[in-house]
Amino acid sequence: MRRLFWVAVGAAAGVYAVRKVQKTLHAYSPGGLAERATGVGASWQAFTDEVRRNAAEREAQLREALGMEPADPAAPLSPAEAADLTEHPASSAARPRTTRSRST
């Protein structure tokens, strides 16, 4: 009975060791490295998408708090407006399309 127990323990340890070695070999094979690189790329893409979404959400909150109209990507600034905004960022004339009168 004791010998049978130790044979079973040895067989289980051998199977575990073989599976562990096979898994490690696969992880460092070209296919395994490609799978890991794909996973990292997908994780990075998800991270950047979340950062962009949160940045846009925060920008909308700040524009609302400052009483500005939402940015309209369909109507970009003209080169003259962009130059004036770059030279005088705090002037009210540099932001004619982004401010609105608040009735509060």
Side-chain angles (χ1 to χ4, degrees):
M1 190 67 158
R2 253 186 205 184
R3 285 186 182 179
L4 184 59
F5 172 76
W6 288 112
V7 167
V9 168
V15 169
Y16 175 77
V18 168
R19 291 295 300 149
K20 189 74 168 170
V21 167
Q22 285 177 344
K23 189 175 182 180
T24 302
L25 287 175
H26 175 71
Y28 290 105
S29 70
L33 291 173
E35 289 172 7
R36 289 196 313 185
T38 302
V40 169
S43 297
W44 180 256
Q45 184 65 38
F47 171 75
T48 56
D49 290 345
E50 185 175 346
V51 167
R52 286 186 184 124
R53 182 180 50 80
N54 288 336
E57 183 179 309
R58 182 64 178 145
E59 181 180 356
Q61 291 171 351
L62 291 172
R63 285 181 173 279
E64 182 180 341
L66 293 172
M68 299 173 72
E69 293 177 6
D72 185 11
L77 293 174
S78 69
E81 291 173 326
D84 191 34
L85 184 60
T86 303
E87 292 172 10
H88 309 288
S91 71
S92 61
R95 315 177 252 136
R97 295 187 295 170
T98 59
T99 58
R100 67 177 177 199
S101 61
R102 295 181 65 153
S103 60
T104 56

